[in-house]
Amino acid sequence: MIDTLRLTAEDVAGLLERREVSGEELAGAYRAAIDERDDELHAFLHVEGESGDGVPIAHKDVITTKGIPTTAGSRILEGYVPLFDSTVAARTKAAGLPIVGKTNMDEFAMGSSTENSAYGPSRNPWDPTRVPGGSSGGSAVAVAGGLAPWALGSDTGGSTKLPGAFCGLVGLRPTYGTVSRYGIVAFASSLDQVGPITKTVRDCARLYEIIAGKDPCDSTTVDLPQPVEIPAAEDLKGVRIGVPHELNEAQGIEPGVSGAVQKAIRLAEELGAEIGEATLPRSVEYGLPCYYLIAPAEASSNLARYDGVRYGYRAEEDGHALTELYMRTRWEGFGAEPKRRIMLGTYALSAGYYEAYYGQAQKVRTVIKQEFEEAFADFDLLVSPTAPTVAFELGDKADDPIAMYLTDVLTIPPNMAGLPGLSLPCGLSEGLPVGLQLLGPQFSENLLFRAAHALERAIGFDFVPERLRA
Ligand code: GLN
């Protein structure tokens, strides 16, 4: 029996190396798990079921895969089968990782619950009445539900960290520019970054190692200043960890979430970390409003390419003019959230308002970057909850965009500054996983892995959802 719920990617690699299972047996085990559980969970939009010599992987459907449908969770890309691989898909392929399938997501990665998918929501394996977080919800569900050993997601405002937190997994948002965006369906180009969603910190480091590094097809990428180190440390000696009170005492943080995070901070201290109070005076208050000008502005430009001519969906033609074809295709093909963002973004970029909105938001972004730089003058890492709450019920926030946007209030500020962040499960509240957000300066992934690994061992969180344990 291959226990897909329990096996980490490293475990799977070991089984393959020792020839205790074949690639076909593994693919069969994940296929059986999908048959058993994915009708309920809906992690996948497309099951590919490749087998091979490497650890199978699930890709968020925003990741372009040659010959495999790629929809970004949108009707407007229904039927689109790319002719090329994104760089991350090419790199996992070159590393020998077979593709399990493409995972469900909020349409164009716009959302925090996966309820904005045009193909219906995914459900949280810990409690199927609850959301898995978003926008990379399907990737987290696939891993937590034992349907894939590891997965890639993408993170613009928190979309790998949040589903990681809600599903009891590790989610990494890498330093902007360390992972190629070539072939990633674009949402907000100055923020989008692909990252791993895994059961352990070591799996996360291994997957990051495969995908990171300079890519000639994405001029915003750089080579990593140091090679990725697979963490082994069990202590936090000499690591200075700051606790920014604005991030830890923000309005709306549930007591159970705060309690689990405080417990993890005490553990960090016992492991030898130096804990101190930090401050980010304006970043938490202004991060979210700043994001909701910049991200929609970039989205309105990126989404202009869906015209019914070049990709995917095209409205029925009945002799109308070209402009009519564009309008009808976009009206029928986009869901409510992309339409909302296109309108917001177009408004913010329009002549007469550009300086007041987009220009101002860019200035605020610089202030946020400076605040984090000041905090990192005194601390190696910062810590906070990943999200104010645990996974909420499906439908709870679906009709209230502002409430949905607030889910990302703690993940967005570091993203605006281009900084890496890792969400680590740190306990349960109301029987549901709580995420701890660890933040570091640019290119501090190795330190994030080291600290998260030591904490992971000390916390001893069991990533198999309670209701699915044998
Ligand atoms: N929830 C945020 C949004 O809707 C972030 C999503 C993301 O990181 N892709 O924009």
Side-chain angles (χ1 to χ4, degrees):
M1 252 301 276
I2 300 171
D3 183 357
T4 62
L5 282 162
R6 185 64 64 193
L7 290 175
T8 66
E10 279 193 324
D11 293 336
V12 171
L15 290 174
L16 285 166
E17 259 159 44
R18 296 189 302 274
R19 300 192 184 280
E20 287 168 30
V21 298
S22 69
E24 279 84 60
E25 284 168 328
L26 259 185
Y30 285 102
R31 166 66 85 161
I34 290 168
D35 287 346
E36 188 185 325
R37 286 191 288 279
D38 208 38
D39 280 348
E40 179 180 49
L41 297 177
H42 196 217
F44 286 97
L45 294 178
H46 173 86
V47 177
E48 186 68 10
E50 286 179 357
S51 67
D53 298 330
V55 180
I57 188 164
H59 285 319
K60 184 180 185 180
D61 208 27
V62 77
I63 296 172
T64 296
T65 41
K66 186 176 176 177
I68 300 176
T70 300
T71 69
S74 182
R75 283 277 169 230
I76 214 161
L77 279 170
E78 196 165 11
Y80 171 56
V81 181
L83 296 168
F84 71 107
D85 268 325
S86 55
T87 296
V88 292
R91 288 189 179 176
T92 57
K93 191 182 267 182
L97 313 187
I99 295 180
V100 181
K102 304 294 294 290
T103 61
N104 197 17
M105 54 180 284
D106 287 299
E107 185 173 0
F108 288 105
M110 297 170 179
S112 306
S113 68
T114 319
E115 291 169 291
N116 291 340
S117 168
Y119 303 98
S122 300
R123 289 171 181 273
N124 193 315
W126 287 78
D127 175 352
T129 69
R130 307 219 170 214
V131 303
S135 64
S136 314
S139 288
V141 175
V143 178
L147 315 179
W150 55 6
L152 285 177
S154 69
D155 189 303
T156 303
S159 282
T160 57
K161 293 183 281 189
L162 179 68
F166 278 9
C167 294
L169 300 169
V170 176
L172 174 71
R173 180 212 161 71
T175 302
Y176 184 81
T178 61
V179 180
S180 172
R181 285 178 295 105
Y182 177 70
I184 305 308
V185 177
F187 164 13
S189 305
S190 75
L191 290 151
D192 298 344
Q193 202 64 189
V194 169
I197 298 181
T198 60
K199 287 172 175 166
T200 66
V201 178
R202 286 175 61 94
D203 280 1
C204 180
R206 289 196 186 277
L207 190 47
Y208 180 61
E209 185 176 32
I210 293 170
I211 61 170
K214 192 174 170 65
D215 173 15
C217 296
D218 176 355
S219 62
T220 62
T221 55
V222 290
D223 270 321
L224 300 186
Q226 302 97 22
V228 174
E229 287 161 24
I230 308 304
E234 291 177 19
D235 66 66
L236 288 169
K237 286 200 185 82
V239 183
R240 299 168 302 164
I241 300 181
V243 185
H245 58 91
E246 299 87 351
L247 273 181
N248 283 271
E249 286 149 37
Q251 212 189 330
I253 299 182
E254 291 174 352
V257 167
S258 183
V261 167
Q262 279 161 21
K263 224 170 121 190
I265 295 172
R266 284 196 295 274
L267 261 180
E269 196 162 21
E270 283 167 29
L271 292 172
E274 288 166 37
I275 310 290
E277 190 175 316
T279 178
L280 298 163
R282 288 159 296 186
S283 296
V284 183
E285 188 181 350
Y286 294 113
L288 200 79
C290 177
Y291 175 89
Y292 277 100
L293 286 168
I294 289 177
E298 294 184 17
S300 70
S301 164
N302 277 324
L303 268 51
R305 75 191 67 177
Y306 303 103
D307 53 12
V309 177
R310 284 173 287 187
Y311 326 81
Y313 180 77
R314 174 180 301 176
E316 205 77 41
E317 282 165 280
D318 51 4
H320 290 295
L322 183 63
T323 315
E324 186 83 1
L325 173 75
Y326 293 160
M327 286 169 58
R328 287 182 34 175
T329 297
R330 290 167 67 81
W331 176 252
E332 292 166 19
F334 286 132
E337 192 60 32
K339 282 180 186 152
R340 185 178 294 124
R341 308 243 181 151
I342 290 168
M343 287 189 282
L344 271 173
T346 310
Y347 183 79
L349 290 176
S350 55
Y353 294 106
Y354 182 95
E355 264 315 314
Y357 291 113
Y358 186 74
Q360 192 67 13
Q362 291 291 22
K363 289 180 196 150
V364 173
R365 192 173 187 176
T366 304
V367 169
I368 294 173
K369 191 164 175 292
Q370 285 163 351
E371 283 194 3
F372 274 96
E373 275 163 15
E374 281 162 28
F376 287 124
D378 298 325
F379 296 101
D380 303 309
L381 299 174
L382 300 175
V383 69
S384 78
T386 304
T389 67
V390 290
F392 45 87
E393 300 272 347
L394 270 96
D396 246 18
K397 304 185 190 221
D399 301 323
D400 184 349
I402 304 284
M404 191 68 89
Y405 296 173
L406 279 166
T407 310
D408 299 309
V409 66
L410 309 178
T411 53
I412 280 178
N415 285 23
M416 297 309 291
L419 303 176
L422 184 149
S423 181
L424 176 77
C426 66
L428 297 174
S429 166
E430 300 165 47
L432 294 163
V434 175
L436 177 82
Q437 177 174 240
L438 287 167
L439 302 170
Q442 280 187 304
F443 309 114
S444 64
E445 276 81 356
N446 281 339
L447 180 60
L448 286 170
F449 294 145
R450 188 193 140 195
H453 174 76
L455 269 172
E456 176 182 56
R457 295 186 52 106
I459 292 166
F461 183 85
D462 184 351
F463 51 71
V464 179
E466 241 156 28
R467 56 184 274 278
L468 297 175
R469 280 178 210 160

